[in-house]
Amino acid sequence: MSAPNRDFIVKIADTKEELQAAQALRYDVFVKELGGDGDLVDHEAGLECDAFDPYFDHMIVSDAATEQVVGVYRLLQSEQAKVMGRYYSDGEYDLSVLQNSGRKILELGRSCLHKDYRGGMAMFHLWNGLSEYVLKNDIEVLFGTASFHGTDLEKLAAPLSLLHHNHLAPEDLRVRSKSYESMNLVDKSNLDRRTAMLQVPALIKAYLRLGGFIGDGAFVDHEFNTTDVCLILDVDRMNERQRKIYSGAR
């Protein structure tokens, strides 16, 4: 169910209450819906949190009428990653090709929407807020993991193979899974592209429409009950149409 004809407010969370509202939404999506867990998840309070939260900027989109946080994006600039000592995705992917590139990179994570606001304008506003953040901070390359629900690679063979055959990152952006699971599971000639694409999560499709790439290999995350891929978006490689979509045609 989408929420049409609503106004939204997008901002970086700057109070404890706003951060906890973001973590509560993450709990609803990643723990209650998807069956995830973690050492610092607060089940009693209903908050999905981890040791990385203090180092990230937390972009939130709220329904202006109710002030309810209905969308979240977690953002980590390279300067804060140095303070933390690593990126979140370091646990799953070898990021050295990006870290040694000399370019300004931004890690994205924990993107989610309240179930009643999916398929509507909330994601557009969250995406627009991300675009403004990238421009303001001179970000050149965005990356982060995105997930398929479940850990059965056989069931995910078609969409993973589609990503491998058609959207594999060029070598200068090609991060590699540290616990490598090949995504080349179905020969390209035997792949039903339409059926496979229907299994690709909406967030991944959105990045592909912008010219995004996929890193080499999947990572099976048993703690979160997901199969992860690494998305990479090079702002300089976007064409004019993709830039207009990304910036909301401002």
Side-chain angles (χ1 to χ4, degrees):
M1 175 182 175
S2 63
N5 302 319
R6 290 183 181 271
D7 292 325
F8 295 93
I9 299 169
V10 182
K11 62 172 295 190
I12 299 297
D14 56 12
T15 68
K16 178 181 178 180
E17 291 73 22
E18 288 176 338
L19 174 57
Q20 288 183 337
Q23 292 169 332
L25 176 61
R26 285 162 37 183
Y27 186 90
D28 287 344
V29 174
F30 296 116
V31 180
K32 293 173 71 174
E33 283 189 43
L34 300 179
D37 203 351
D39 294 339
L40 297 181
V41 171
D42 188 338
H43 293 287
E44 184 175 344
L47 302 177
E48 193 280 302
C49 37
D50 63 19
F52 289 86
D53 276 337
Y55 299 89
F56 275 77
D57 283 337
H58 300 265
M59 182 170 287
I60 57 176
V61 56
S62 304
D63 186 323
T66 64
E67 298 185 353
Q68 178 185 10
V69 172
V70 299
V72 176
Y73 238 132
R74 198 166 76 159
L75 314 172
L76 184 69
Q77 295 192 51
S78 53
E79 293 84 355
Q80 283 301 98
K82 290 177 183 177
V83 176
M84 176 69 185
R86 53 168 290 195
Y87 290 93
Y88 177 86
S89 302
D90 275 328
E92 299 186 4
Y93 283 85
D94 178 357
L95 305 175
S96 57
V97 69
L98 299 181
Q99 292 173 287
N100 298 331
S101 67
R103 306 180 72 192
K104 193 164 185 181
I105 62 179
L106 175 73
E107 182 175 38
L108 313 175
R110 293 299 197 274
S111 174
C112 61
L113 290 174
H114 187 285
K115 58 184 176 60
D116 292 339
Y117 290 78
R118 295 168 193 167
M121 291 299 292
M123 189 66 217
F124 171 82
H125 285 279
L126 192 59
W127 195 264
N128 232 25
L130 175 61
S131 172
E132 292 178 2
Y133 184 97
V134 166
L135 291 171
K136 178 181 177 181
N137 293 285
D138 299 317
I139 303 299
E140 298 174 89
V141 178
L142 298 79
F143 74 96
T145 57
S147 303
F148 289 84
H149 183 47
T151 58
D152 187 338
L153 294 179
E154 185 174 338
K155 291 182 178 178
L156 299 172
L160 291 177
S161 298
L162 175 72
L163 296 178
H164 172 82
H165 292 310
N166 295 288
H167 302 284
L168 188 64
E171 290 190 9
D172 62 312
L173 299 174
R174 194 178 300 171
V175 304
R176 192 175 195 274
S177 174
K178 288 182 174 179
S179 182
Y180 190 85
E181 296 286 353
S182 176
M183 296 167 60
N184 186 11
L185 303 173
V186 180
D187 188 84
K188 192 172 184 177
S189 62
N190 296 325
L191 193 63
D192 182 336
R193 292 186 58 177
R194 183 179 183 280
T195 300
M197 185 57 78
L198 289 174
Q199 298 179 59
V200 175
L203 179 65
I204 298 177
K205 289 179 184 176
Y207 278 91
L208 298 182
R209 284 195 293 269
L210 294 173
F213 301 106
I214 304 295
D216 184 16
F219 182 94
V220 176
D221 188 341
H222 293 284
E223 185 174 73
F224 265 80
N225 191 34
T226 60
T227 297
D228 298 343
V229 298
C230 192
L231 294 165
I232 308 104
L233 180 63
D234 185 343
V235 176
D236 288 344
R237 280 183 164 98
M238 294 168 69
N239 61 38
E240 189 61 30
R241 181 184 63 84
Q242 291 163 343
R243 289 178 186 276
K244 285 181 179 179
I245 296 172
Y246 178 63
S247 65
R250 286 194 303 274

